Amino acid sequence: MSKEHSGVLRAWESTMRKTQAAKKRANNILGITSMANVTNNDLEDDTDKGVSISGEAYFAEKILPNGDYYTGQWYDNFPDGQGKYLWTDGCMYLGEWHKGKTMGKGRFSWPSGASYEGEFKTGYMDGTGTYIGSNGDTYKGKWVMNMKHGHGILNYSNGDCYDGEWRRGLQEGHGKYQWQNKNYYIGEWKNGVIFGKGIFVWSNGNTYDGYWEDGMPKGNGTYQWPDGSFYVGNWSKDPDEQNGTYYPSESSLAANLEWDPTTVYNELAGCKICVGERVSIMPSQKRLATWYSSKGGDKPRRMSVDGRVSVGVERPLDKMSLWENDGNSNGLRQVRRDLDCELLGIPHNDANPKFNLGLPLKAPKLEKRQGETISKGHRNYELMLNLQLGIRHSVGRPAPATSFDLKASAFDPKDKIWTRFPREGSKYTPPHQSYEFKWKDYCPVVFRTLRKLFKVDPADYMISICGDNALRELSSPGKSGSFFYLTDDDRYMIKTMKKSEVKMFLRMLSAYYNHVRSFENTLVIKYYGLHCVKLPGTTQKKVRFIIMGNLLRSDYTIHRRFDLKGSSLGRITEKNEFETDNTTILKDLDLNFIFKLQKAWYQEFCW
């Protein structure tokens, strides 16, 4: 065997050993946490009515280990058939089950008073159904994986109504929205706003027929009065881009030549699109606690309603101790029955067990926040002040309105603006407590347009970065030597860059802009600004940095974080199971999940 071939073989064997070690470590870090062994014999026999016959479904009434309650048909250690599940937080599902999953027709209710009645599929609201919010909003129509998707009608509690197409929970396609004041719009929608071609009809008979963008007329359109006179031309919120001609009707007494089209925008400002009530927790996110029988060979598992084995499962809660018991489970079962009757409106026995009021309530554990707060005395405190002053100046500086069709000159790397910030202030800059510095904005028109394209409100942007709360510096820089900073609300991340990286980024900026404009749902990271701070002193050190959206900001709790690069070389976390937490950055070989998407979403994801 040649030395070259022998070397390749040894490298392959080494990679295989590392891969196997990584899989073993991944199972330790991310593997399924089993519940304590709880058998039917450990609980009293009278908590489980019915006789289990192998291979046949039977009626069961169960108090589950975490305090949840189920009554209905049971098969092979799972709800199967008609049944009702009551969670300890007050959520309830009543309907059809299949192998532990909500499947078929059913009704899910929330403790807030909201309810959904319709079709379910593998734990999700999927099919045709009606959702009634706690505020009175009522949607009846199509659902796909907990989201309004397809045709549906939403009657808002304030009297507004939308009848049309939905996509991923938002109005998209063709639809009609009618306000309570009898104004209505019929036409195209996109991402929950009026976008495309459509007709707006006011209750007084005036109409606008033309093109729209972000809920306002934009492009060619015609505004017509009931007497037949009309105004036709190009519409825009920017008066400089607006032009058109007024045509009086034969019946009108005089031409309204001084009519101002901007009055239409003022009238439309009062016609807001209602935002539907947000569901606090979806049925598919509710946990289904199960235990195994000592007579069977099933392993202890804790499943979600949609049948997935959950990761990082909590211990069975001691919520049963909230109730005084007389040595058996009759008291607890009676309480569950009383709660059950209360929800269904059925009369019940008043002999309820007493509450154990002496049990202390525990606050939920707060998630650990990343990074070190940059306070006074920190080595980068002055740099943070300079950065915040520069951002406030750049974003707040008056600038002419621009369209999304940018000229090639806007992407020129030479298009940059230097600003001097003396301590005593100047005509354009405020006085400040930091040392004097210079500030540079790269391609300011491009990044201002990107923020507009990404629907970033300038005031919110400045508050997040330049507000009273300080930035947080991540504990260590990346392999590139760059430092990362997070805003207090976690919305934005700031990364320092080398001069060569800035040059490369500016060369790619035009292609990046065209891409994010063509694919508005792109998963590519969003960039909001590229700047430079020139520090004083003999060295004249320059710190270049870019501001981007924080991908890890979520309304959901993040249990595991991964940095995936599609490689197996060195892609392993050098930490054991006990050294990892929800802020640890795991790598490719630590990942042992398979992700499944609905076919339509999978195709859109690939596109």
Side-chain angles (χ1 to χ4, degrees):
M1 182 182 295
S2 66
K3 290 184 179 180
E4 182 180 358
H5 182 73
S6 176
V8 172
L9 182 60
R10 284 197 299 271
W12 177 82
E13 290 175 346
S14 174
T15 301
M16 289 300 294
R17 285 195 299 270
K18 289 181 180 179
T19 303
Q20 294 300 326
K23 288 182 178 179
K24 185 175 180 181
R25 189 190 349 266
N27 287 331
N28 289 335
I29 295 175
L30 302 170
I32 301 164
T33 304
S34 299
M35 290 170 47
N37 291 349
V38 183
T39 67
N40 289 349
N41 294 331
D42 294 330
L43 300 174
E44 295 298 326
D45 290 339
D46 57 2
T47 63
D48 186 357
K49 282 192 174 182
V51 180
S52 175
I53 302 175
S54 178
E56 294 183 9
Y58 64 99
F59 180 83
E61 183 179 357
K62 293 178 178 288
I63 300 170
L64 302 176
N66 67 343
D68 294 350
Y69 172 75
Y70 175 79
T71 178
Q73 292 177 295
W74 193 268
Y75 174 74
D76 194 22
N77 203 39
F78 292 109
D80 198 297
Q82 291 286 340
K84 177 178 61 185
Y85 195 105
L86 177 64
W87 285 268
T88 53
D89 63 359
C91 290
M92 185 182 74
Y93 172 77
L94 176 64
E96 299 177 16
W97 298 78
H98 180 66
K99 294 183 179 179
K101 307 172 187 177
T102 53
M103 183 83 77
K105 294 184 178 180
R107 185 177 189 273
F108 190 96
S109 59
W110 288 261
S112 63
S115 66
Y116 168 83
E117 186 168 358
E119 296 176 328
F120 287 81
K121 186 177 180 181
T122 61
Y124 293 90
M125 299 183 288
D126 198 303
T128 302
T130 301
Y131 175 83
I132 302 176
S134 59
N135 63 353
D137 291 352
T138 302
Y139 171 82
K140 184 175 183 180
K142 295 291 184 180
W143 297 78
V144 172
M145 296 185 73
N146 293 337
M147 292 188 179
K148 305 175 188 71
H149 196 92
H151 182 265
I153 301 173
L154 177 54
N155 290 295
Y156 297 92
S157 56
N158 68 348
D160 292 359
C161 176
Y162 173 80
D163 182 354
E165 296 298 315
W166 298 77
R167 191 178 183 195
R168 298 191 306 274
L170 296 172
Q171 297 97 325
E172 184 154 331
H174 190 274
K176 176 182 178 181
Y177 192 102
Q178 181 161 335
W179 285 264
Q180 59 174 341
N181 59 9
K182 303 305 180 183
N183 295 345
Y184 66 89
Y185 167 83
I186 302 177
E188 297 176 0
W189 294 74
K190 190 174 184 180
N191 283 339
V193 296
I194 298 172
F195 200 109
K197 196 174 189 306
I199 302 174
F200 193 102
V201 180
W202 281 265
S203 57
N204 60 7
N206 296 349
T207 63
Y208 169 81
D209 184 356
Y211 288 89
W212 300 73
E213 184 177 294
D214 292 333
M216 292 293 172
K218 181 66 181 292
N220 294 326
T222 301
Y223 187 90
Q224 187 167 356
W225 286 264
D227 63 359
S229 56
F230 61 93
Y231 174 92
V232 62
N234 183 67
W235 293 73
S236 175
K237 291 179 71 175
D238 183 1
D240 295 336
E241 297 180 5
Q242 196 172 85
N243 60 77
T245 305
Y246 175 81
Y247 295 91
S249 66
E250 295 180 359
S251 60
S252 60
L253 299 176
N256 192 6
L257 299 177
E258 296 184 1
W259 178 77
D260 187 359
T262 57
T263 58
V264 175
Y265 292 93
N266 297 330
E267 293 173 1
L268 290 172
C271 297
K272 300 291 186 182
I273 306 298
C274 284
V275 179
E277 181 185 57
R278 182 176 179 180
V279 183
S280 57
I281 186 168
M282 296 295 181
S284 57
Q285 295 172 300
K286 295 299 296 178
R287 298 301 183 193
L288 170 62
T290 63
W291 68 85
Y292 72 104
S293 171
S294 58
K295 299 176 185 178
D298 295 337
K299 293 182 180 180
R301 291 175 292 178
R302 185 177 173 92
M303 309 281 289
S304 65
V305 173
D306 60 355
R308 298 168 296 176
V309 178
S310 62
V311 178
V313 175
E314 313 135 40
R315 295 176 301 167
L317 303 176
D318 294 327
K319 293 186 178 178
M320 291 186 182
S321 61
L322 286 169
W323 309 94
E324 291 185 356
N325 207 334
D326 56 2
N328 56 48
S329 61
N330 288 331
L332 180 58
R333 184 177 52 169
Q334 181 61 45
V335 171
R336 282 295 174 199
R337 284 176 176 170
D338 290 344
L339 286 173
D340 186 32
C341 294
E342 195 73 43
L343 287 168
L344 295 176
I346 302 173
H348 57 89
N349 194 331
D350 292 330
N352 289 337
K354 299 177 182 178
F355 283 103
N356 183 355
L357 299 177
L359 188 68
L361 297 176
K362 295 182 180 180
K365 185 178 179 182
L366 295 176
E367 184 181 357
K368 179 182 175 183
R369 300 192 77 187
Q370 288 181 286
E372 174 190 1
T373 301
I374 304 177
S375 54
K376 196 165 186 177
H378 191 281
R379 62 187 181 280
N380 288 324
Y381 179 72
E382 299 291 337
L383 178 62
M384 180 190 73
L385 295 181
N386 298 344
L387 187 153
Q388 292 178 326
L389 282 167
I391 293 293
R392 190 180 291 113
H393 170 75
S394 299
V395 178
R397 181 173 55 221
T402 58
S403 67
F404 291 128
D405 297 320
L406 297 180
K407 298 179 180 179
S409 58
F411 299 93
D412 189 340
K414 296 179 181 179
D415 184 17
K416 47 195 174 186
I417 301 175
W418 276 105
T419 305
R420 179 172 161 267
F421 280 78
R423 294 191 64 174
E424 65 276 9
S426 68
K427 182 179 179 181
Y428 303 103
T429 62
H432 57 88
Q433 300 299 318
S434 183
Y435 45 72
E436 180 178 322
F437 67 96
K438 286 187 177 180
W439 174 266
K440 183 196 288 187
D441 289 314
Y442 293 91
C443 298
V445 175
V446 177
F447 286 103
R448 190 184 313 119
T449 310
L450 280 172
R451 292 193 294 269
K452 179 182 176 183
L453 184 67
F454 296 143
K455 295 180 175 59
V456 174
D457 182 81
D460 291 341
Y461 184 72
M462 284 194 289
I463 290 172
S464 291
I465 301 176
C466 315
D468 295 334
N469 296 317
L471 303 177
R472 303 198 313 276
E473 182 180 77
L474 297 192
S475 57
S476 61
K479 287 186 177 180
S480 63
S482 299
F483 283 85
F484 292 86
Y485 303 92
L486 284 172
T487 57
D488 185 70
D489 57 8
D490 288 331
R491 292 179 65 183
Y492 303 104
M493 179 176 284
I494 302 169
K495 176 191 176 186
T496 60
M497 299 179 74
K498 298 177 183 178
K499 184 177 182 180
S500 58
E501 293 174 330
V502 171
K503 288 183 176 180
M504 176 62 72
F505 184 84
L506 290 174
R507 285 199 294 268
M508 298 189 301
L509 185 58
S510 178
Y512 170 80
Y513 180 83
N514 292 331
H515 178 83
V516 296
R517 190 182 176 192
S518 301
F519 303 95
E520 64 175 304
N521 292 322
T522 179
L523 300 179
V524 173
I525 197 165
K526 296 178 179 178
Y527 294 103
Y528 302 108
L530 182 61
H531 312 281
C532 175
V533 171
K534 188 175 182 180
L535 304 177
T538 56
T539 59
Q540 295 285 292
K541 180 182 177 183
K542 295 179 181 178
V543 181
R544 303 168 182 87
F545 55 89
I546 192 165
I547 302 175
M548 63 188 81
N550 182 13
L551 288 176
L552 297 179
R553 183 178 184 265
S554 172
D555 294 332
Y556 299 97
T557 301
I558 296 178
H559 300 90
R560 294 290 183 266
R561 301 168 190 258
F562 293 88
D563 174 20
L564 305 178
K565 295 187 177 179
S567 170
S568 61
L569 185 61
R571 304 302 297 162
I572 244 183
T573 305
E574 299 298 333
K575 289 186 179 181
N576 60 38
E577 174 186 358
F578 305 102
E579 295 175 324
T580 60
D581 56 24
N582 60 353
T583 64
T584 302
I585 305 299
L586 304 172
K587 300 181 181 179
D588 297 69
L589 294 179
D590 299 314
L591 184 67
N592 67 340
F593 291 109
I594 294 176
F595 299 94
K596 293 185 177 180
L597 295 176
Q598 187 189 24
K599 186 176 180 180
W601 291 14
Y602 168 78
Q603 292 171 344
E604 184 172 353
F605 176 80
C606 292
W607 167 245

